[in-house]
Amino acid sequence: MPARSKSQLADTEHSRQVLQAIVLADSFTTTLRPVTLDKPKVLLPLVNSPMIEYTLEWLASAGVEEVFVFCCVHSKQIVEYLQSSRFNSHHQPFQVHPIVSTSAMSAGEALRFIDERQVVRSDFVLVFGDTVSNMSLTAALAAHRARREADKQAVMTICARPLSPEHRERRLGDSALAVAVDPETSQVLAYKEAYEMGLDPTAMQGRKAVQVRGDLMDCHIDICAPEVLYLFTDNFDYQHIRQDFVCGLLHDEIMGNKIYLHELAANEYAARVHNLRSYDAVSRDIIQRWVYPLVPDANLLCGTPRRSSSNSTSTDISHSSLDGDVALAATSYRHYRSNIYKESGVSLARSAIIRSDTVIGAGTVIGERTTVARSVIGRDCVIAEDVMIDSCYLFDGVRIAAGARLTHSMVGDAASVGGGAELAPGCVLAAGVAVGRNARLAARTVASLSEQPAHDSEDEWDDDDDDNDGGSGDDDDDDESDDGGDRGEDHAKEAWAAPVNARESAGGAAAGKVAYSAELGEGGRGYCWLPRDEQDRANRERLSLVTPPRELQLAGFEQLAVEDERGDDDDGDDAGGGGGSSDDDDDDDERGDDFIREVQETFIRAVQCNIKLEDVTLEINGLKYSFNKTFADCASGLCLAFFALAKERAEAGATHSPKEALIEIKKVGLQYGPLLQRFIKNDDDQVEVLLTIEELCFKEEERAAADGGPPPTFSPVFQQVLTLLYNLEEFPVEEEGIVKWASEKEFADEADKVYLKKAAQFLQWLENAEEEEDDEDEEE
């Protein structure tokens, strides 16, 4: 079919302006493998709703009337989902049309295929199917159309979100980005995924100023003129949307096409889920209501399909079939305090503990003495007794046996974890994988029912689930240049050849042809996928579900001041978030209080259940990563927990006296001081612990001063507390830390020197002891 001329394209703009959108349901990269071997990424659950639901719901609310969803790999599943969704109705103005081509190998080929269909009649919105946003398109569309009226060569508007580089790269796993913009017109002059940018001097000609922005995150939401499709058809070298098309247009002085930038407002949110790191970050943003109204309790989205074979109320662990009749089901979430969401039909044992930022899907059963914190639990899961789940994502039909411990991990549909097994941070289990009883998986273990291929391949082919001859790679995104590029040499180091069919692998192992990976333990089912090389290993660590240390950031990234993570302060409303600054003082205080409470609850539970110190350390480290806290914060929380336990035990005694509290502090310090030592890294951390004790005493005095307040326990004996902790070998407070704490108080206000004065006698003794030691050294 011949390409349309520019005059034909221009004529379409005189017809009725129906706002259309193109959604690319394949992003042509493989960073979420092997989770996406059996299911396309856009149908993976994101806070228990298929990912594409967020994209389509946002487009519908933003005024889009017609959407074309381009499907490639797993196209049959996507088409069936769209046909059974609420969007497949002729009685509403929002229409969704799937377009299937299994031969497209890049975003460029997908757009050329759509152009051949000649379905786009006017300006359109171009997004990927893993986009989560609540932004209004009104302002961006108005500006784009105004520019189009004045200049037909204004063919694209890129939407970007102000965001600190540290947040963009460390929290979301995005690549570095520098954008040169004319601040008067918002025209983009240069675009480069790097920390530095060289500008062509001609770009400055006729301009008063040029800004080079390093504080933007590309949302990959583009408002395009119909000419964009024509340009892709006209140039077969365009494969990537950003690397090829955008950069190509910016360097093409002959054609003169222009690209502009639209900056999201402070209360608007947009992000893509393009790796495990961003999956975790976007999930938490949804749970913490930054994407309002797309929050669980709004019940705007359909949940994941219910499988008839996975409904169970038993705590027995058994393998659930991956097959079965499926049906879309509306959600029924209710929002509780501390951002806890539960659907109807959830069964919780009376002693189960559900902590903040947790979502639990319908039909899930949670057993006695099990703790779930900062996690998303899918529908029809069965979690037995004495299980600890922290910062994890469990898909539908998962089975967790008694005593298992999971931290910062992802567990796919119908997978199971045996009794007493442990998943270290960063583990990923694909659908149907089973971890044996008492197995210990190392950090960032990746397992699948499919064997890992023997070598990498640039070519990706559709799986047996689709009835097509071939097509593109699975629906994962690249961590660096994630703009729908091809699977050629740019991604060869990360692309994995399609493994054999999962069910064939399982059958082969059953027949004795292939043994399952021993790392999964006795009775385990699946194969561990190892890093290909050091680069793959580094990417797996940097882009895992655990926020990586700063030294793992891309080369050249330097320590930056932590800026507002979501823009300026926002007044907020019942939404509880909406996209304002996550560094707002009130929000910081609330997050800090939540962290301290979680640390204290973890410690108290460890005392009550006699949990090993190594396991408690693992839990608190998980909290540290989840709340983005320091070792000093962990030490402060533990210190408060020590004192709370000592006070509780003292009050249970006969006299309730401060002296009795000192005795209990000594007992707690002797037993649990080594735990605190694991979070004290230097003198500054010791000072932080002493400041925490000082603040505790201040608050005791304030409560005692109030009418009817209880008498203080530790304030009257502060000096004795300090002396006790200094003499206690197990407690990590040493002379250097105490002296540094005292020196920091030297120039403080008198009101802040209360406890410095109370400890004066002890501090004088320390000073004299040090002088005597120096004199002895001189005599020798």
Side-chain angles (χ1 to χ4, degrees):
M1 183 178 294
R4 289 167 288 169
S5 67
K6 286 189 175 181
S7 60
Q8 288 177 308
L9 290 167
D11 290 341
T12 64
E13 296 188 346
H14 296 291
S15 61
R16 179 181 175 274
Q17 292 268 322
V18 174
L19 183 56
Q20 298 175 300
I22 293 175
V23 175
L24 299 178
D26 189 331
S27 48
F28 308 100
T29 50
T30 61
T31 59
L32 282 183
R33 276 197 165 192
V35 179
T36 51
L37 289 178
D38 297 301
K39 181 184 291 187
K41 187 180 74 174
V42 295
L43 296 188
L44 290 181
L46 184 68
V47 192
N48 287 346
S49 288
M51 212 175 287
I52 198 171
E53 282 275 323
Y54 292 89
T55 307
L56 296 178
E57 179 63 34
W58 164 63
L59 290 172
S61 66
V64 174
E65 299 176 69
E66 191 172 29
V67 177
F68 300 97
V69 179
F70 180 83
C71 313
C72 193
V73 71
H74 297 300
S75 57
K76 182 179 178 181
Q77 291 186 48
I78 299 172
V79 171
E80 288 178 350
Y81 183 87
L82 293 175
Q83 289 174 345
S84 61
S85 75
R86 68 190 190 283
F87 300 112
N88 186 32
S89 172
H90 299 290
H91 302 292
Q92 61 174 344
F94 185 72
Q95 300 294 318
V96 178
H97 310 287
I99 296 179
V100 178
S101 171
T102 59
S103 62
M105 297 294 292
S106 68
E109 291 185 15
L111 294 177
R112 282 187 280 274
F113 184 81
I114 293 173
D115 187 46
E116 290 177 5
R117 302 288 292 270
Q118 296 192 9
V119 293
V120 174
R121 302 180 298 276
S122 61
D123 293 341
F124 64 96
V125 181
L126 176 61
V127 295
F128 284 88
D130 53 17
T131 301
V132 177
S133 179
N134 64 1
M135 72 169 286
S136 170
L137 290 174
T138 304
L141 277 169
H144 174 82
R145 287 168 174 167
R147 286 190 289 263
R148 291 280 297 162
E149 287 293 327
D151 184 359
K152 293 299 181 184
Q153 291 184 312
V155 296
M156 176 183 278
T157 298
I158 295 174
C159 297
R161 176 182 166 201
L163 208 62
S164 70
E166 179 163 347
H167 185 164
R168 180 186 66 216
E169 295 163 33
R170 188 162 181 261
R171 186 169 184 268
L172 290 165
D174 276 18
S175 58
L177 179 63
V179 182
V181 184
D182 184 329
E184 286 191 358
T185 64
S186 296
Q187 183 180 347
V188 177
L189 306 175
Y191 181 103
K192 187 175 183 181
E193 293 179 340
Y195 297 101
E196 299 176 354
M197 172 181 287
L199 274 179
D200 187 340
T202 59
M204 298 288 293
Q205 293 178 359
R207 305 184 191 279
K208 295 181 180 179
V210 172
Q211 287 182 340
V212 178
R213 303 282 301 271
D215 62 338
L216 296 174
M217 183 191 78
D218 191 341
C219 301
H220 295 271
I221 298 172
D222 303 324
I223 300 174
C224 306
E227 283 88 345
V228 167
L229 296 179
Y230 171 83
L231 291 168
F232 269 98
T233 299
D234 197 44
N235 193 328
F236 277 80
D237 290 334
Y238 290 161
Q239 302 296 334
H240 299 74
I241 297 175
R242 292 294 184 263
Q243 289 183 354
D244 297 334
F245 179 76
V246 169
C247 293
L249 259 61
L250 294 176
H251 288 90
D252 187 354
E253 299 179 0
I254 298 176
M255 297 294 294
N257 292 303
K258 300 171 185 175
I259 299 174
Y260 289 83
L261 179 74
H262 173 77
E263 196 169 317
L264 271 66
N267 64 340
E268 294 180 326
Y269 181 95
R272 284 189 63 196
V273 179
H274 52 89
N275 52 46
L276 290 171
R277 184 89 289 278
S278 57
Y279 182 96
D280 176 68
V282 174
S283 296
R284 298 197 181 283
D285 287 341
I286 293 170
I287 293 170
Q288 294 169 10
R289 309 180 75 77
W290 297 107
V291 198
Y292 187 87
L294 299 181
V295 292
D297 58 300
N299 294 310
L300 295 173
L301 310 177
C302 282
T304 50
R306 301 294 299 272
R307 295 184 179 273
S308 59
S309 60
S310 61
N311 293 331
S312 174
T313 57
S314 170
T315 56
D316 293 337
I317 303 301
S318 60
H319 178 49
S320 297
S321 172
L322 297 179
D323 300 316
D325 296 330
V326 299
L328 299 184
T331 59
S332 57
Y333 287 104
R334 292 187 62 185
H335 182 212
Y336 300 87
R337 188 176 179 180
S338 300
N339 288 331
I340 295 173
Y341 304 84
K342 290 188 293 184
E343 271 198 290
S344 58
V346 173
S347 176
L348 299 179
R350 296 189 64 178
S351 60
I353 299 173
I354 307 301
R355 295 182 176 169
S356 60
D357 296 342
T358 295
V359 179
I360 305 176
T364 287
V365 179
I366 298 180
E368 299 285 353
R369 300 175 302 282
T370 287
T371 299
V372 181
R374 294 167 298 280
S375 299
V376 178
I377 311 299
R379 290 175 161 180
D380 303 314
C381 295
V382 177
I383 302 171
E385 64 275 6
D386 299 310
V387 174
M388 192 281 290
I389 298 175
D390 184 16
S391 305
C392 293
Y393 299 92
L394 275 58
F395 294 3
D396 294 348
V398 168
R399 301 291 186 265
I400 309 295
R405 309 173 68 79
L406 292 75
T407 307
H408 288 87
S409 297
M410 176 181 287
V411 183
D413 292 317
S416 64
V417 178
E422 292 187 9
L423 272 61
C427 289
V428 177
L429 307 182
V433 169
V435 176
R437 184 177 179 82
N438 296 323
R440 301 289 187 270
L441 297 193
R444 292 175 293 280
T445 296
V446 176
S448 170
L449 284 183
S450 302
E451 291 184 78
Q452 186 176 10
H455 55 82
D456 291 343
S457 171
E458 297 176 7
D459 296 324
E460 302 287 327
W461 302 105
D462 213 350
D463 69 340
D464 67 321
D465 216 18
D466 296 331
D467 295 325
N468 301 309
D469 292 331
S472 68
D474 75 55
D475 209 24
D476 302 323
D477 288 279
D478 182 57
D479 59 293
E480 299 296 338
S481 178
D482 184 18
D483 64 350
D486 63 13
R487 299 174 177 79
E489 60 184 7
D490 289 341
H491 304 292
K493 63 181 180 182
E494 290 156 317
W496 288 328
V500 294
N501 176 267
R503 294 169 183 77
E504 292 175 352
S505 293
K513 298 177 182 177
V514 181
Y516 287 127
S517 295
E519 293 89 340
L520 299 179
E522 186 177 354
R525 182 176 58 250
Y527 305 92
C528 291
W529 288 32
L530 303 177
R532 293 293 184 185
D533 49 35
E534 287 305 314
Q535 180 64 45
D536 188 18
R537 187 184 304 276
N539 283 339
R540 188 178 285 194
E541 184 169 355
R542 184 172 62 85
L543 298 173
S544 75
L545 289 170
V546 183
T547 303
R550 286 179 175 82
E551 58 266 24
L552 285 176
Q553 296 309 297
L554 297 173
F557 183 68
E558 298 179 351
Q559 177 68 32
L560 300 173
V562 177
E563 304 173 9
D564 288 345
E565 290 190 342
R566 295 182 178 88
D568 300 326
D569 291 350
D570 181 54
D571 292 334
D573 52 19
D574 185 58
S581 170
S582 66
D583 289 324
D584 180 84
D585 291 340
D586 293 338
D587 187 58
D588 271 351
D589 292 342
E590 184 178 346
R591 289 278 292 170
D593 292 343
D594 286 344
F595 174 74
I596 295 298
R597 183 172 62 253
E598 296 283 359
V599 171
Q600 289 178 328
E601 289 178 357
T602 299
F603 174 72
I604 294 301
R605 184 169 59 84
V607 173
Q608 293 172 344
C609 301
N610 197 27
I611 298 175
K612 295 179 181 179
L613 296 188
E614 292 79 6
D615 295 336
V616 183
T617 304
L618 180 65
E619 286 194 48
I620 295 175
N621 270 320
L623 292 172
K624 173 180 173 289
Y625 285 119
S626 297
F627 285 84
N628 197 23
K629 296 295 183 179
T630 64
F631 284 109
D633 294 327
C634 297
S636 296
L638 275 174
C639 184
L640 289 174
F642 284 13
F643 276 74
L645 179 61
K647 182 177 180 179
E648 180 182 345
R649 289 177 174 178
E651 289 176 348
T655 62
H656 298 203
S657 65
K659 182 178 179 181
E660 200 163 342
L662 282 174
I663 296 173
E664 294 300 333
I665 285 179
K666 183 175 182 179
K667 291 179 181 178
V668 174
L670 283 169
Q671 186 174 2
Y672 296 104
L675 174 63
L676 185 60
Q677 286 179 358
R678 302 180 186 210
F679 298 95
I680 299 291
K681 302 300 180 181
N682 50 47
D683 294 346
D684 290 334
D685 293 346
Q686 294 184 40
V687 171
E688 196 65 34
V689 168
L690 293 173
L691 290 173
T692 299
I693 298 171
E694 184 183 11
E695 184 179 3
L696 171 66
C697 294
F698 266 120
K699 290 182 177 179
E700 281 192 333
E701 295 283 0
E702 290 176 358
R703 286 194 294 268
D707 293 338
T713 302
F714 303 109
S715 177
V717 291
F718 177 78
Q719 180 168 262
Q720 292 93 317
V721 170
L722 204 58
T723 305
L724 172 65
L725 298 181
Y726 171 74
N727 291 321
L728 201 61
E729 185 175 344
E730 289 79 5
F731 203 90
V733 172
E734 301 175 354
E735 180 179 345
E736 292 79 3
I738 296 173
V739 171
K740 192 169 185 178
W741 166 77
S743 64
E744 289 185 3
K745 291 287 181 179
E746 185 177 351
F747 301 103
D749 296 336
E750 289 301 315
D752 290 333
K753 291 184 178 181
V754 173
Y755 293 96
L756 182 66
K757 294 176 181 178
K758 285 190 175 187
Q761 186 177 352
F762 172 69
L763 294 172
Q764 184 63 47
W765 176 83
L766 266 185
E767 184 178 346
N768 294 338
E770 186 177 357
E771 290 176 357
E772 291 176 4
E773 188 176 335
D774 291 341
D775 291 341
E776 291 176 2
D777 292 341
E778 289 177 4
E779 290 176 3
E780 291 178 0

